[in-house]
Amino acid sequence: MDLHWLGAFSLGMSICFTTVLTDCSSCFQHPPECSHPYCNVHVSWLAYSTAYKVNLSISSDYFNLAGVDDNVWLGLGVSKTPTMESSLITLCSLTPTGVSITQSYGFNHGISPQTVGTTLISQATFTNKDGVLKCEFLLHKSLLPKEENYLFVGGGEIVNNMIQYHKVTPIVSPNLRSFTSNKEIQITDTLILLHGSAMITAYGVFLIVAVYTNRYLRPIFQKAWFKIHSNIAIMLLFLALLGFGSILSRQERFMRGVHEILGFIIIILTLFQILLASLRPYRSHKCRKTVIIIHSIVGFFIFLLSFINILLGLSKRKLRIPTSIIFIQALYTFWVVFGAVIGNEMLRYFYRHDDNIYLKQLKRYSLVNLGIVLLYGCTIIMLLNVID
């Protein structure tokens, strides 16, 4: 593998990451040059197919809320004027009974915090840590305007279960902002899309080709099979680390679900597998056979867990992946087991007495199998990138 090309590609990805992480086309913060979470206010949003994921945070010191553990609210308002006239306000409230979301036109002081409804709001969380009050929630697209508005953000206390007037004037955006824009992200942000594309390419395409080459293509490639197998494995590792790094850079909590835990285990097994292959003993060494057996067992578990985890990732409810993509992945998994693996084992069994015929049939069957792998990879990644 050309290390100069690899270095150039890594540099390009670093520039891409910097661009993504510093872009604030879908956020508003004050002061403008601040670095989140060290801002007086920060609000960002991501567009799903039917809802917005809103992250709202304020400085408790700036809004005179230091020392308030609960009974506090954060507010995100939209208005056609910078003076907050005829405004639509979304309030995120934290009380001893939990987190609730309230919407009202204009600011009605003294109202009781209440939820919008299970079909319109979900997964609301509220944290108060290190002087930053933060609320994250999903809000149905019908509850926020499509046109441009001024945004304003504030916070205050809740007394006797009643929302109180803010002590500090809310901060207003200097210009009109829109929740829908040309840079709207349909599945989730760019890093999650990069994570999914990299992992599907690594474990849905390169892993299959690497295993297929090792198990079935040795008679075709002969001595060259190992070089092909090892180069594909290196590309798999690079993509896996790229996908792992992209999702790790945006996760606030590490390994918070089954998909995340399985993913971490798969990465560890992949690193171990590459290391084991690199340190394998010479052919006549007494441990050679043991290392090959361990390599095969670890490879089987990577193969099994990765396909389970891809399905788990695509099935995450908050991503709202269309059923058609999940069906394609399930169908591909079925084909890998019954078409690629069992099909090749049957081919090997039926033509075990005639190597020439077996080799001829193997070339035809492998061409079809590898074509399906390539078609799968291109199709599912393309669909992920064009989801509406």
Side-chain angles (χ1 to χ4, degrees):
M1 178 174 286
D2 191 340
L3 295 179
H4 295 290
W5 175 86
L6 184 59
F9 185 81
S10 300
L11 177 62
M13 289 310 305
S14 300
I15 295 172
C16 177
F17 271 128
T18 304
T19 303
V20 171
L21 293 174
T22 57
D23 177 47
C24 200
S25 61
S26 295
C27 77
F28 159 59
Q29 60 188 27
H30 183 274
E33 68 279 1
C34 70
S35 177
H36 181 62
Y38 307 105
C39 300
N40 294 333
V41 302
H42 180 91
V43 56
S44 61
W45 56 91
L46 297 172
Y48 293 73
S49 57
T50 59
Y52 294 109
K53 180 181 179 181
V54 180
N55 284 278
L56 176 64
S57 63
I58 66 172
S59 166
S60 58
D61 290 332
Y62 182 86
F63 284 93
N64 292 336
L65 295 172
V68 180
D69 295 326
D70 53 17
N71 286 310
V72 63
W73 60 264
L74 305 184
L76 170 63
V78 294
S79 174
K80 288 294 184 181
T81 68
T83 55
M84 300 181 287
E85 297 173 359
S86 302
S87 56
L88 171 65
I89 301 175
T90 302
L91 297 176
C92 178
S93 308
L94 175 65
T95 65
T97 58
V99 182
S100 61
I101 303 297
T102 306
Q103 269 201 330
S104 62
Y105 287 94
F107 196 89
N108 298 321
H109 303 286
I111 65 174
S112 176
Q114 57 186 332
T115 58
V116 174
T118 56
T119 59
L120 301 179
I121 182 71
S122 63
Q123 300 178 2
T125 60
F126 198 117
T127 58
N128 184 353
K129 184 179 180 181
D130 299 329
V132 177
L133 300 172
K134 179 180 179 181
C135 182
E136 180 179 294
F137 55 91
L138 286 177
L139 195 64
H140 196 273
K141 282 187 173 181
S142 62
L143 297 178
L144 289 174
K146 295 181 179 180
E147 61 275 7
E148 290 185 329
N149 285 272
Y150 288 96
L151 306 182
F152 53 97
V153 181
E157 295 185 65
I158 299 174
V159 179
N160 296 325
N161 205 38
M162 297 294 173
I163 293 176
Q164 303 299 300
Y165 194 82
H166 46 74
K167 298 179 181 179
V168 178
T169 303
I171 296 177
V172 184
S173 64
N175 47 35
L176 294 167
R177 306 301 299 270
S178 173
F179 290 98
T180 58
S181 66
N182 293 332
K183 294 187 177 181
E184 182 179 77
I185 301 172
Q186 299 299 338
I187 301 178
T188 177
D189 62 23
T190 306
L191 294 178
I192 291 184
L193 188 59
L194 176 60
H195 166 75
S197 299
M199 290 306 195
I200 286 174
T201 304
Y203 292 102
V205 177
F206 285 165
L207 176 63
I208 300 304
V209 177
V211 172
Y212 198 90
T213 303
N214 177 39
R215 179 70 179 170
Y216 303 115
L217 298 184
R218 291 193 190 192
I220 296 176
F221 294 118
Q222 298 180 1
K223 292 183 179 181
W225 78 267
F226 181 75
K227 184 175 289 187
I228 297 171
H229 175 78
S230 57
N231 284 337
I232 292 173
I234 291 172
M235 290 188 288
L236 184 156
L237 177 63
F238 175 75
L239 283 174
L241 293 178
L242 176 64
F244 181 67
S246 65
I247 200 66
L248 195 63
S249 64
R250 73 173 303 283
Q251 290 281 62
E252 296 180 0
R253 290 180 293 170
F254 184 51
M255 294 198 300
R256 57 181 177 180
V258 177
H259 175 72
E260 288 79 5
I261 294 172
L262 271 183
F264 181 71
I265 293 173
I266 292 168
I267 291 293
I268 295 299
L269 288 177
T270 302
L271 290 170
F272 175 77
Q273 184 80 328
I274 299 295
L275 182 63
L276 186 66
S278 302
L279 300 177
R280 71 192 185 283
Y282 51 86
R283 289 182 180 275
S284 58
H285 197 281
K286 61 180 181 179
C287 295
R288 174 84 177 196
K289 188 174 182 180
T290 303
V291 170
I292 291 175
I293 292 174
I294 294 175
H295 187 75
S296 300
I297 294 173
V298 173
F300 170 77
F301 278 104
I302 294 174
F303 174 84
L304 177 66
L305 294 178
S306 62
F307 271 81
I308 294 174
N309 215 33
I310 289 174
L311 280 171
L312 288 175
L314 293 175
S315 302
K316 277 182 170 287
R317 186 174 63 178
K318 67 178 183 179
L319 297 182
R320 290 172 168 80
I321 301 293
T323 307
S324 57
I325 294 181
I326 300 175
F327 175 77
I328 290 174
Q329 180 61 40
L331 189 63
Y332 178 69
T333 304
F334 179 85
W335 167 82
V336 167
V337 174
F338 291 94
V341 177
I342 296 180
N344 269 287
E345 293 298 330
M346 292 176 64
L347 192 70
R348 175 185 288 181
Y349 176 78
F350 287 128
Y351 296 104
R352 65 187 183 279
H353 299 303
D354 194 325
D355 291 341
N356 291 329
I357 297 179
Y358 170 67
L359 188 60
K360 186 177 181 180
Q361 295 297 329
L362 177 63
K363 288 180 180 179
R364 293 177 178 175
Y365 196 60
S366 298
L367 188 62
V368 173
N369 285 334
L370 295 177
I372 292 175
V373 173
L374 181 61
L375 179 63
Y376 152 80
C378 294
T379 301
I380 200 164
I381 291 174
M382 180 189 69
L383 290 175
L384 285 174
N385 281 271
V386 299
I387 290 177
D388 185 12

